[in-house]
């Protein structure tokens, strides 16, 4: 195959404490960036991560979402979502 793929559940991030979720996000993207082939990230329940932010959303949840999105701000030849 010309690419690897990784699957994870967006909702699973919010079952973790904030610091653990941030570490798991770092691990996910660091793994993708170190592979010798592009990585396709398959996100189940992506609406949890990419749904509308509301004023009622906790600051911790907003931080987790922002951290995840910080990896997607520039195009990459290492991963695709």
């Amino acid at each position: 195959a010309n690419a690897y793929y990784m699957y994870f559940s967006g909702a699973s991030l919010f079952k973790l404490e904030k610091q653990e979720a941030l570490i798991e996000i770092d691990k996910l993207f660091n793994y993708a960036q170190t592979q010798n082939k592009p990585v396709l990230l398959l996100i189940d329940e992506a609406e949890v991560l990419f749904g509308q932010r509301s004023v009622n959303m906790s600051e911790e949840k907003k931080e987790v979402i922002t951290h995840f999105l910080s990896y997607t701000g520039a195009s990459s030849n290492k991963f695709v979502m």
Side-chain angles (χ1 to χ4, degrees):
N2 293 329
Y4 297 117
Y5 72 92
M6 295 174 63
Y7 166 90
F8 80 99
S9 166
S12 68
L13 289 176
F14 298 113
K15 294 179 182 175
L16 303 171
E17 295 291 327
K18 180 187 85 173
Q19 196 60 36
E20 292 173 325
L22 298 177
I23 290 168
E24 290 304 312
I25 292 167
D26 289 340
K27 284 179 174 177
L28 175 75
F29 284 99
N30 288 336
Y31 175 83
Q33 292 170 344
T34 60
Q35 298 310 298
N36 60 355
K37 295 180 183 181
V39 176
L40 175 62
L41 301 176
L42 304 170
I43 307 169
D44 188 24
E45 300 179 282
E47 69 276 6
V48 174
L49 285 174
F50 307 119
Q52 183 175 2
R53 296 185 194 191
S54 70
V55 292
N56 298 334
M57 184 181 289
S58 74
E59 286 302 313
E60 288 187 347
K61 188 172 182 178
K62 287 179 186 177
E63 283 184 56
V64 170
I65 293 169
T66 299
H67 189 67
F68 184 93
L69 293 175
S70 72
Y71 281 100
T72 66
S75 62
S76 172
N77 63 349
K78 291 293 188 175
F79 62 87
V80 175
M81 291 190 288

